Amino acid sequence: MKLDDAAARLEALGNPTRLRIYRTLVRAGAEGMAVGKLQDRLDIAASTLSHHLKALVGVGLVTQTREGTTLICHTNYEIMRGLLEYMVEECCAESCAPAGIRLPKVA
Amino acid sequence: MKLDDAAARLEALGNPTRLRIYRTLVRAGAEGMAVGKLQDRLDIAASTLSHHLKALVGVGLVTQTREGTTLICHTNYEIMRGLLEYMVEECCAESCAPAGIRLPKVA
DNA sequence: ACGATATTTCGAATATTCTAGAAATACCGT
DNA sequence: ACGGTATTTCTAGAATATTCGAAATATCGT
């Protein structure tokens, strides 16, 4: 992952509203969560939610699949994993390693 | 770590210039790097660098120790580790875990 | 106290972000 | 095709971010 991509993804997560959105989607698990349900859950204006979702989708952290008239949102684990990898490898170096942070390779 | 703190730290890292600064400081290792050397290295205006450093210091990701007339900047590993922990625990859940991401406890 | 070097604060221009209401679009069931 | 529900786009205002030059402050050595 390039620095600019990492920065864009960190920026996307670096807003309390968007971090809440992302966290809620993670907790929704594999089935994801519809935009409407997210709106009920987070109690924000539909247009605001759409705006923030667009930002998260734009950097690849969230994907959407349409199911009839509702849009289901999912977190993209690979992107998040890549971001964590970047942070550990590029921004921790021998710094976090002694602290015990490891990102084992996936089999 | 609270969501708002995590968001503030992610936002601090979510700017290409600040991410470059942080990454450079990480690579500088335990001895850290003076503001002036950072400026030479990154080739940005002193006032701009100072502005961004303030943001990083403000969220605890960077600390500074004065040594005569020069200011040495260090990354704060504990804060970064806390942030990574937050991301893995709150924003990965059972999502990144199967992908192999682990943050073992420090002994 | 002075001069030199290091860094921050101030001021300002430009750009971007955040929020949300209103209008528009998308999709389904009938 | 129509009506209803779901979501996005448009628009706009207020707030915040980014950048950098100029001026101010801090620290040291003499």
Side-chain angles (χ1 to χ4, degrees), chain A residues 25 56-57 60-65 72-76:
Chain A
L25 285 179
L56 289 167
V57 169
L61 280 164
V62 168
T63 59
Q64 296 175 316
T65 59
I72 315 284
C73 304
H74 308 263
T75 55
N76 183 329

Side-chain angles (χ1 to χ4, degrees), chain B residues 11 15 17-18 45 47-48 51-52 66 68-69:
Chain B
E11 182 187 38
N15 169 284
T17 303
R18 281 194 298 269
S47 54
T48 302
H51 167 76
H52 285 306
R66 186 168 280 282
T69 149

Side-chain angles (χ1 to χ4, degrees), chain A residues 35 39 44-51:
Chain A
V35 173
Q39 195 198 336
I44 55 184
S47 55
T48 303
L49 175 57
S50 183
H51 166 76

Side-chain angles (χ1 to χ4, degrees), chain A residues 3-16:
Chain A
L3 184 137
D4 281 350
D5 293 326
R9 286 163 183 155
L10 289 167
E11 183 188 38
L13 293 173
N15 168 283

Side-chain angles (χ1 to χ4, degrees), chain A residues 19-70:
Chain A
L19 191 53
R20 280 210 304 146
I21 293 170
Y22 188 85
R23 185 166 162 276
T24 304
L25 285 179
V26 165
R27 302 208 162 171
E31 71 179 294
M33 187 177 288
V35 173
K37 194 169 177 187
L38 260 177
Q39 195 198 336
D40 290 344
R41 198 68 72 84
L42 301 175
D43 195 32
I44 55 184
S47 55
T48 303
L49 175 57
S50 183
H51 166 76
H52 285 306
L53 276 174
K54 196 170 168 182
L56 289 167
V57 169
V59 298
L61 280 164
V62 168
T63 59
Q64 296 175 316
T65 59
R66 187 168 278 283
E67 212 157 278
T69 149
T70 79

